């Protein structure tokens, strides 16, 4: 079972992913693999060095990284649940905010398995940006306006996809976690 956690930078994905893993292991006795994208060191390096120069190359690099990630996930047979911190909805939301045609991104990513559940942490970019670490890996230019567009894109994607559940991430972390647990509980019971 594949669960994706999505949202703009600083929305709380990593914190939620770790706590869900703990809860699923300790309370639900599940074997959980926690993973994240971008996945490979080599492609992350190329993204940093080359990707930002051109959004088409960036889209292809994130998607190629996903190909390697998915092939690796397929071999992790000992787990009941895989939680990934970012998946293809990130490419659709971010790279279409950079001007890439959404349908083309969907086409490039259509071979990857669809998550049974995606938790979308929704938060205004102005609030999220105050939570983002200073050592932000990819250092977007004009981060705030980009993240505003990315947020809108995520909400648009969620309108047409029932498996994406929107959680208001301006709430306390305890409230966010509790809502996330309810969605996961529905899925596993
Ligand atoms: N609901 C919340 N309320 C307040 N602070 C939160 C909440 N959730 C997470 N945080 C804090 O916000 C910061 C960013 O959280 P986190 O690293 O989990 O976000 P992220 O979405 O994974 O970010 P990035 O995409 O930049 O890696 C952390 O300091 C975390 O403790
Ligand atoms: C997978 C993916 C990621 N990104 C962007 C989003 C973030 O700014 C960084 C990843 O770092 P984080 O620690 O997860 O925040 O990369 C993207 O633009 N497109 C993608 O497909």
């Amino acid at each position: 079972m594949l669960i994706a956690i999505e949202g703009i930078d600083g929305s709380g994905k990593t914190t939620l992913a770790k706590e869900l893993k703990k809860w699923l292991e300790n309370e639900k006795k599940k074997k959980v693999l926690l993973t994240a994208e971008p996945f490979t060191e080599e492609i992350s390096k190329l993204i940093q060095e080359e990707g930002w120069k051109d959004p088409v190359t960036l889209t292809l690099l994130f998607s190629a990284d996903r190909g390697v990630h998915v092939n690796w996930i397929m071999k992790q047979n000992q787990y009941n649940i895989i939680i990934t911190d970012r998946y293809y909805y990130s490419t659709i939301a971010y790279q279409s905010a950079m001007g890439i045609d959404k349908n083309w991104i969907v086409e490039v990513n259509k071979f990857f398995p669809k998550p049974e559940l995606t938790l979308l942490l929704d938060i205004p970019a102005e609030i999220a940006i105050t939570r983002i670490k200073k050592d932000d890996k990819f250092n977007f230019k004009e981060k705030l306006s980009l993240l505003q567009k990315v947020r809108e894109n995520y909400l648009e994607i969620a309108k047409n996809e029932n498996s994406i559940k929107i959680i208001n991430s301006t709430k306390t972390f305890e409230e966010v976690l509790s809502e996330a647990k309810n969605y996961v509980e529905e899925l596993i019971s």
Side-chain angles (χ1 to χ4, degrees):
M1 188 177 289
L2 180 63
I3 299 175
I5 307 200
E6 290 281 2
I8 62 172
D9 299 40
S11 55
K13 298 177 299 299
T14 308
T15 314
L16 178 64
K18 283 182 191 160
E19 289 305 315
L20 274 181
K21 178 182 194 299
K22 272 193 224 164
W23 170 71
L24 280 165
E25 286 175 344
N26 298 337
E27 307 287 324
K28 302 290 166 188
K29 307 298 170 206
K30 301 287 184 190
K31 289 189 177 146
V32 181
L33 173 66
L34 181 53
T35 180
E37 294 187 0
F39 175 71
T40 68
E41 268 180 38
E42 295 87 344
I43 301 178
S44 291
K45 195 162 170 258
L46 277 174
I47 286 169
Q48 277 171 310
E49 289 171 359
E50 293 295 324
W52 304 119
K53 296 176 192 166
D54 159 25
V56 173
T57 306
L58 189 59
T59 304
L60 293 170
L61 285 172
F62 276 122
S63 304
D65 177 71
R66 184 160 306 119
V68 178
H69 189 204
V70 165
N71 288 341
W72 176 81
I73 288 174
M74 296 297 192
K75 292 185 204 143
Q76 312 307 308
N77 299 322
Q78 67 272 44
Y79 298 98
N80 313 111
I81 299 178
I82 290 143
I83 300 177
T84 180
D85 180 346
R86 294 196 181 280
Y87 196 50
Y88 56 58
Y89 295 116
S90 284
T91 314
I92 301 170
Y94 280 79
Q95 276 58 66
S96 71
M98 294 174 172
I100 301 299
D101 178 51
K102 190 182 150 200
N103 294 327
W104 180 68
I105 304 172
V106 171
E107 186 67 20
V108 170
N109 280 273
K110 75 176 180 194
F111 302 103
F112 303 130
K114 182 176 156 185
E116 277 80 3
L117 173 68
T118 296
L119 300 171
L120 171 57
L121 299 185
D122 181 52
I123 186 169
E126 295 83 353
I127 302 177
I129 215 151
T130 64
R131 297 184 186 171
I132 297 172
K133 289 170 240 98
K134 296 273 182 309
D135 65 343
D136 183 16
K137 270 188 301 238
F138 294 129
N139 193 27
F140 284 120
K141 286 184 207 143
E142 297 163 359
K143 190 128 199 170
L144 183 62
S145 61
L146 180 87
L147 290 183
Q148 283 165 336
K149 266 194 242 162
V150 174
R151 181 189 181 207
E152 284 167 24
N153 290 344
Y154 269 130
L155 292 173
E156 195 58 40
I157 298 165
K159 271 190 204 161
N160 302 313
E161 184 47 70
N162 285 339
S163 65
I164 302 179
K165 307 297 179 193
I166 302 171
I167 299 178
N168 177 352
S169 186
T170 63
K171 291 187 180 171
T172 65
F173 180 69
E174 289 65 32
E175 288 171 306
V176 170
L177 179 61
S178 159
E179 211 173 316
K181 281 180 185 173
N182 288 341
Y183 286 126
V184 174
E185 185 99 56
E186 252 174 54
L187 183 73
I188 60 175
S189 58

